Amino acid sequence: MSTAALPALHSWQPSAPSPRRTQRLVDILDLLTTRGAMSVGALCGELQVSPATLRRDMTHLQDQGLVSRTRGGARANTGPELPVRLRDTKSPLAKHAIAVTAAALLPTDRPLAVAIGGGSTTAEVARELGHRQRLTIVTNALTTAAAVAARPNLQVIMTGGVIRASSFELVGSLAENAFNGINVNLAILGADGVSAAHGVTTHDHTEARTNHAMVTHAHRLMVVADGSKVGQTTVAKVADASEIDVLVTDPSADPDELARLTGLGVTVHLARLSADVSLPLS
């Protein structure tokens, strides 16, 4: 069969939603997750869009299995955890500023081995580390690996495991055994919640066990999380607050909670959003 008869590969790929539409999809999922099933009219009122626009967005989300249509409305299928393909649209400037601050804290005068977990903020940290020399990155996250895989100056090691569809992380016994077989200078973790009372938490118990294995075999732990996660607690515990050496967050974090974390020995760094901190061009 002649290759000329085959369509170009890019013609098979669905077009990506525009940034404005992507943010609207995130807002729809947020509303349905926090409020439960909602009518088309209620969603249109909250989002200030026409019913036709909303129905197109709902069809897009339904095709991806993220929502189910109900009589006159919809409900979320995602639970409390936003899918990773939409997660990086939330607080992008804060996450980038956090990544810049976190990367600057790593020493450059000696070889370094770093374990990096999954999440949009940790992937941003990996991108900021992409120019480093004598750096080994161990990760169980497809998003993190993709951010640095093409960098010839880095050694990138990926664990095995079962892929979690909502986070693109490799979890389970294969991933845990990989982390149990190494020792790294630093583990860098994102979090769905971080608090003095309950430590670092996430939405999934299997993911928590895998991340705990990473933490156990790291000399130090850095948590990177935007301010909305500080003071929050989710169902699965990764590490106690006393195990956190450094927390990098942004100024929107609850100052009282930061004080409680500092009292437990956590060093807190606030990433400042300023004119010289902007999103990199892609």
Side-chain angles (χ1 to χ4, degrees):
M1 180 179 178
S2 169
T3 56
L6 294 173
L9 180 60
H10 62 75
S11 67
W12 297 355
Q13 308 302 318
S15 58
S18 68
R20 183 175 179 179
R21 188 185 187 198
T22 298
Q23 183 57 56
R24 196 167 63 244
L25 297 175
V26 171
D27 291 341
I28 292 170
L29 287 175
D30 277 345
L31 285 168
L32 295 178
T33 298
T34 56
R35 300 189 190 181
M38 294 180 67
S39 68
V40 169
L43 285 166
C44 288
E46 289 285 347
L47 300 168
Q48 295 296 297
V49 297
S50 70
T53 295
L54 182 69
R55 288 191 178 96
R56 285 194 294 270
D57 289 344
M58 300 281 263
T59 298
H60 180 83
L61 292 170
Q62 185 179 37
D63 289 345
Q64 298 186 58
L66 299 176
V67 303
S68 292
R69 302 292 287 271
T70 62
R71 187 175 181 85
R75 60 179 173 79
N77 293 336
T78 60
E81 183 179 13
L82 191 68
V84 70
R85 58 187 178 274
L86 295 177
R87 203 178 304 164
D88 61 2
T89 65
K90 301 193 73 174
S91 308
L93 286 175
K95 291 177 180 181
H96 180 62
I98 288 168
V100 170
T101 300
L105 295 173
L106 273 63
T108 59
D109 59 347
R110 59 183 182 273
L112 202 63
V114 178
I116 303 181
S120 53
T121 308
T122 49
E124 195 70 26
V125 175
R127 292 186 189 95
E128 289 298 315
L129 294 173
H131 66 282
R132 296 291 184 96
Q133 303 293 327
R134 300 185 295 171
L135 179 64
T136 297
I137 292 177
V138 186
T139 186
N140 67 319
L142 298 177
T143 50
T144 299
V148 292
R151 299 282 185 170
N153 52 301
L154 301 177
Q155 182 180 47
V156 181
I157 300 171
M158 185 131 204
T159 72
V162 178
I163 299 175
R164 283 196 70 225
S166 60
S167 67
F168 290 173
E169 289 180 75
L170 299 168
V171 299
S173 59
L174 285 174
E176 292 169 32
N177 289 339
F179 285 123
N180 288 336
I182 62 172
N183 287 290
V184 295
N185 302 99
L186 178 70
I188 302 176
L189 284 182
D192 295 308
V194 54
S195 68
H198 301 287
V200 184
T201 55
T202 186
H203 289 292
D204 182 79
H205 286 286
T206 305
E207 179 183 312
R209 286 195 302 270
T210 300
N211 287 340
H212 179 73
M214 180 196 302
V215 171
T216 300
H217 294 277
H219 294 293
R220 291 173 61 81
L221 171 60
M222 174 189 288
V223 175
V224 290
D226 66 73
S228 68
K229 311 294 177 56
V230 176
Q232 300 300 310
T233 301
T234 54
V235 66
K237 188 172 185 176
V238 177
D240 290 326
S242 59
E243 296 179 79
I244 305 170
D245 295 289
V246 177
L247 169 64
V248 185
T249 186
D250 64 75
S252 70
D254 178 3
D256 292 334
E257 188 64 32
L258 293 180
R260 287 189 283 270
L261 287 163
T262 301
L264 294 174
V266 180
T267 300
V268 175
H269 292 268
L270 294 182
R272 297 294 179 183
L273 300 180
S274 59
D276 59 344
V277 177
S278 56
L279 289 175
L281 296 177
S282 56

